[in-house]
Structure formats: C-alpha cells, structure tokens
C-alpha cells in the first residue's frame, strides 16, 4: 500500500503571506490543528500550528492594544518531515511514531499534493486487513526531509 492510496487530497495549505486570521479560520473550518505552508509554486515551506498562530496574535494584540493583521510568515513555521506519494505506507507510520508531527505533507516532484494526519494513520491501522498486510512485511523506506 502506498501513501497515495490513503492521503487526503487536496492538501489544505496557506502561504507565508496569508493573514493569521484567514489561516485560523481555514483551520477551524477544516478542523485542523496544524496546516501546511507552501510557496507560490506549492513547494513545501513547513507547517504551522494553530496554537502558535493564536499565541502570536494574543501577544501582538496585547502589545499593541489592537487586533493585528499579521501574516503566517511572521509566526514560527516549522520545518517538517514529509513523505512522497509513492512511499510505502510504513514510511509515514514510522515518522508519526518517531516525531511529534501531527500532520505530514505529501509531496510529488517537490510539490505538496496531499497530507496524512495521525488520525488518518490510526484509522488505517484500525483496519484489520491493512494491519495484517503491514505486519506481513512491507519494507520501510526512508523519509523525505525536503
């Protein structure tokens, strides 16, 4: 089984120029706790956490006495591991187990094409047949770290 078989598409993304308010609303609408940040050509920049966006806005608003309209790029965008759409599913499972990442961007030819979340992988592993196939010996590849 490959990542492309289970990834969420299209990927919900923002750019560094997206306002924090717009990114926060998008994350709320999509029920996301982190979101993928891309450049204008959809190449991966990193991820940003909702908690970081909200903390930044609260700190800036308190300092200025007004609600600021800052951009995602002003918040700590975390460089993150990602996987390729043709990777075996064991690759993101190993990554999620070994990191604190809640969301893995999926890339194809260095462009973000989808995502895999912890919940996606937990749902997959809850499927008895899939779990049996994985335990039967799918080889792990190495993670793409952009």
């Amino acid at each position: 089984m490959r990542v492309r078989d289970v990834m969420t598409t299209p990927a919900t993304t923002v750019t560094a120029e997206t306002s924090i308010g717009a990114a926060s609303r998008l994350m709320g609408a999509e029920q996301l706790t982190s979101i993928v940040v891309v450049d204008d050509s959809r190449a991966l920049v990193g991820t940003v956490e909702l908690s970081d966006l909200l903390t930044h806005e609260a700190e800036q608003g308190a300092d200025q006495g007004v609600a600021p309209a800052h951009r995602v790029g002003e918040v700590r965008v975390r460089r993150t591991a990602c996987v390729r759409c043709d990777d075996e599913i064991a690759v993101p499972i190993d990554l999620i187990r070994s990191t604190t990442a809640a969301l893995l961007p999926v890339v194809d030819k260095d462009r973000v094409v989808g995502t895999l979340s912890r919940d996606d992988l937990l749902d997959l592993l809850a499927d008895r047949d899939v779990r049996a196939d994985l335990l039967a010996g799918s080889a792990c590849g190495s993670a793409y770290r952009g």
Side-chain angles (χ1 to χ4, degrees):
M1 177 176 289
R2 304 264 179 208
V3 168
R4 75 169 45 90
D5 300 324
V6 295
M7 69 183 185
T8 299
T9 59
T12 302
T13 64
V14 296
T15 68
E17 294 303 312
T18 303
S19 75
I20 289 175
S24 297
R25 286 188 298 279
L26 179 59
M27 292 170 78
E30 298 287 326
Q31 299 182 345
L32 300 171
T33 58
S34 61
I35 196 164
V36 178
V37 182
V38 297
D39 66 15
D40 291 336
S41 65
R42 293 197 56 83
L44 178 64
V45 173
T47 60
V48 68
E49 304 290 322
L50 179 60
S51 59
D52 292 334
L53 295 178
L54 298 176
T55 298
H56 179 79
E57 285 295 273
E59 289 171 354
Q60 295 301 312
D63 291 345
Q64 299 174 4
V66 295
H70 293 286
R71 305 285 171 211
V72 169
E74 297 173 38
V75 179
R76 182 172 71 137
V77 175
R78 299 170 187 185
R79 190 71 177 140
T80 187
C82 60
V83 293
R84 295 188 174 165
C85 60
D86 59 349
D87 281 342
E88 289 287 335
I89 197 63
V91 172
I93 291 170
D94 286 347
L95 272 174
I96 289 286
R97 285 184 19 209
S98 65
T99 68
T100 60
L103 183 73
L104 291 174
V106 180
V107 297
D108 184 27
K109 298 179 183 156
D110 297 324
R111 302 293 176 254
V112 175
V113 295
T115 58
L116 271 177
S117 70
R118 280 186 184 275
D119 289 342
D120 294 333
L121 294 172
L122 285 172
D123 289 345
L124 182 67
L125 290 173
D127 183 316
R128 227 184 223 168
D129 294 332
V130 171
R131 193 171 61 242
D133 287 346
L134 289 172
L135 293 174
S138 65
C140 281
S142 60
Y144 175 67
R145 298 196 181 265

